[in-house]
Amino acid sequence: MVNITEKMVKNTWRTGGVRDVYADFNELTMKIVASALFGADEGSENLAQVGPAITQAFQFFTRRATSMFIVPEWIPTFDNIQYNSAVTGLNKVVYRLIDERRSQLAGSSGSKKKDLLTRLLQATDDDGSGMDDQSLRDELMTLLVAGQETSAILLTWALLMFALHPHTQELVFQEVSEVLGGQPPRQSDVSKLKYLESFIWETLRLMPPAYVVGRCACRSTELGGYQVPEGTTMLVSPYLLHRDPAFWPRALEFDPSRWMPGGDAKEHMENDSFWPYGGGPRNCIGMGFAMMEVTLVLATITSRFRVSLPSGNSIPSPRAMITLRPENQVNLRLTPRRQPKQQTPGSSFNVKQYDSQDRREVSVL
Ligand code: HEM
């Protein structure tokens, strides 16, 4: 994760300037998730084919989700033809990857790759049988689709929050400098970056990428005084829940310190008024991956750049599609920071330096 982010920062963002961070994060999270799932290397032909095909399939579903009339997929409209060709392209790449890896693992030297594909290919049922190609393809595609865009959106809203609440950005910078001592972040640093974690929870509270979560009643029941017939789909909105003043004091205020020790937010994780990753036994399987990814990416970026909204630009707004994604481009200014001298990592960071004068409600979003 860090290597891929460092490459983006060194190659694409090197001199800073104004960038559409939403586009950059979509590319970045595609590379990260593809590398974790099937070891697709940056610049590889496989990755070059998967990225655009996923984007095309997503655009199709987005248009579908917001369209009044749904044309069955077998009718050869322009949209359907494009979608079917994207799926065919994706299948071709994923089946080829599975084939190649199967052969490598069967060969005498095995495969050095320790990604999810290798692990799934090595997994067996109690009767000794492994997964067939279609099940493998379905697993990989589910994780790729569920794990790429959501993380890109969260990273985008996080950078926008940095720009809108500069004092939180400086606090993250101080903590990151203190903990990392000028070195790139490592997995073991994640648990030490408490303020950054709080910042991410607060971004997820106000701007949850999965703004709505569905449940289907498997039998008729009564819920909150309403009769719910079997088969009914019900939608719960984390977006509304997280902004409800009945559950959240100062609900519209962006205040990461509410998640710090002594703050009042953590109890909401237990009382079901905080649902950015859903809830119950079918909650998000990728939560740990996403939190690690977003922490490492933000730590890498914060130590190198100050993020701001270019003067004269309006605040980018969200659009509730399948996910709560930015309506348009999210152009932010990245100003390179002077690199701090390498120092011994420490832990004297103190959130009491928090300056409340600069708090601002996010009702504009
Ligand atoms: C910021 C990033 C992410 C957010 C906000 C997010 C959010 C969610 C939400 C709200 C659900 C529905 C849970 C429910 O119905 O209770 C979900 C399901 C799921 N997510 Fe994520 N997710 C993220 C990242 C990821 C990643 C990185 C992966 C995998 C690499 C992933 C894989 C999945 C899968 C497979 C499911 C379906 C689980 C099931 O039905 O059992 N997600 N996610």
Side-chain angles (χ1 to χ4, degrees):
M1 290 173 182
V2 174
N3 287 347
I4 299 173
T5 313
E6 289 260 335
K7 268 195 194 150
M8 177 188 83
V9 162
K10 282 188 185 142
N11 300 339
T12 323
W13 286 14
R14 193 165 43 89
T15 52
V18 176
R19 302 241 10 134
D20 174 5
V21 296
Y22 181 44
D24 287 343
F25 283 143
N26 264 313
E27 206 175 301
L28 178 74
T29 55
M30 175 60 76
K31 286 176 184 163
I32 291 177
V33 78
S35 133
L37 295 181
F38 38 74
D41 301 323
E42 208 174 330
S44 74
E45 196 196 330
N46 293 330
L47 190 63
Q49 288 173 2
V50 169
I54 290 262
T55 310
Q56 212 168 34
F58 248 84
Q59 284 166 351
F60 171 84
F61 281 121
T62 305
R63 282 196 295 275
R64 227 172 184 215
T66 49
S67 159
M68 300 284 282
F69 304 102
I70 294 181
V71 183
E73 275 158 41
W74 54 267
I75 298 183
T77 59
F78 178 67
D79 228 22
N80 283 347
I81 292 172
Q82 272 203 326
Y83 168 71
N84 287 323
S85 107
V87 172
T88 311
L90 269 176
N91 281 343
K92 225 163 96 184
V93 179
V94 175
Y95 281 128
R96 190 174 64 225
L97 283 164
I98 295 172
D99 245 21
E100 284 169 6
R101 190 67 59 83
R102 245 192 226 293
S103 317
Q104 281 168 13
L105 286 168
S108 53
S109 50
S111 169
K112 288 200 176 64
K113 290 197 164 154
K114 294 281 173 257
D115 49 34
L116 191 81
L117 177 55
T118 292
R119 286 172 203 276
L120 291 178
L121 278 164
Q122 287 169 335
T124 49
D125 262 330
D126 291 345
D127 64 2
S129 63
M131 289 170 81
D132 61 31
D133 281 6
Q134 186 176 343
S135 309
L136 283 165
R137 176 252 179 222
D138 290 351
E139 284 300 329
L140 293 174
M141 290 314 300
T142 302
L143 294 168
L144 195 63
V145 170
Q148 184 265 324
E149 208 216 6
T150 40
S151 302
I153 293 175
L154 175 56
L155 282 165
T156 305
W157 293 136
L159 247 57
L160 183 62
M161 290 303 176
F162 274 160
L164 295 179
H165 307 278
H167 65 285
T168 63
Q169 183 176 176
E170 288 317 302
L171 283 172
V172 171
F173 174 67
Q174 282 169 30
E175 184 186 58
V176 165
S177 311
E178 180 86 26
V179 171
L180 305 185
Q183 305 286 343
R186 290 161 307 169
Q187 189 180 332
S188 57
D189 295 317
V190 169
S191 62
K192 298 180 201 150
L193 296 167
K194 294 287 180 215
Y195 186 77
L196 177 52
E197 185 192 29
S198 302
F199 173 88
I200 296 167
W201 287 134
E202 187 67 347
T203 305
L204 278 164
R205 185 178 70 84
L206 286 165
M207 303 301 289
Y211 69 100
V212 73
V213 172
R215 287 291 182 274
C216 181
C218 55
R219 59 179 162 76
S220 300
T221 185
E222 193 195 305
L223 194 66
Y226 292 92
Q227 285 305 316
V228 181
E230 182 181 336
T232 308
T233 297
M234 285 162 291
L235 301 177
V236 179
S237 171
Y239 180 90
L240 295 176
L241 190 63
H242 297 174
R243 290 170 174 239
D244 189 338
F247 297 110
W248 296 90
R250 301 171 287 112
L252 292 184
E253 199 176 288
F254 184 79
D255 177 13
S257 69
R258 70 170 89 225
W259 296 95
M260 294 294 279
D264 56 10
K266 286 244 163 77
E267 69 188 73
H268 297 275
M269 296 236 189
E270 278 104 52
N271 74 8
D272 272 349
S273 50
F274 187 59
W275 258 47
Y277 292 102
R282 296 301 294 261
N283 73 349
C284 175
I285 201 174
M287 174 173 140
F289 183 96
M291 290 304 284
M292 162 119 17
E293 174 185 24
V294 172
T295 307
L296 292 173
V297 172
L298 290 179
T300 309
I301 291 173
T302 324
S303 55
R304 287 167 192 267
F305 298 97
R306 186 171 286 116
V307 183
S308 57
L309 203 58
S311 55
N313 279 27
S314 55
I315 297 176
S317 43
R319 185 151 188 227
M321 305 292 274
I322 301 173
T323 46
L324 191 70
R325 65 179 66 158
E327 167 130 53
N328 293 308
Q329 295 185 343
V330 177
N331 293 316
L332 295 178
R333 181 173 297 288
L334 304 159
T335 309
R337 291 182 187 266
R338 268 195 318 155
Q339 281 310 296
K341 288 200 191 84
Q342 294 203 347
Q343 41 180 282
T344 317
S347 59
S348 65
F349 172 78
N350 181 355
V351 79
K352 291 215 177 76
Q353 299 148 349
Y354 183 73
D355 171 12
S356 62
Q357 283 172 12
D358 185 22
R359 291 182 189 179
R360 206 192 300 182
E361 287 206 347
V362 293
S363 46
V364 280
L365 288 172

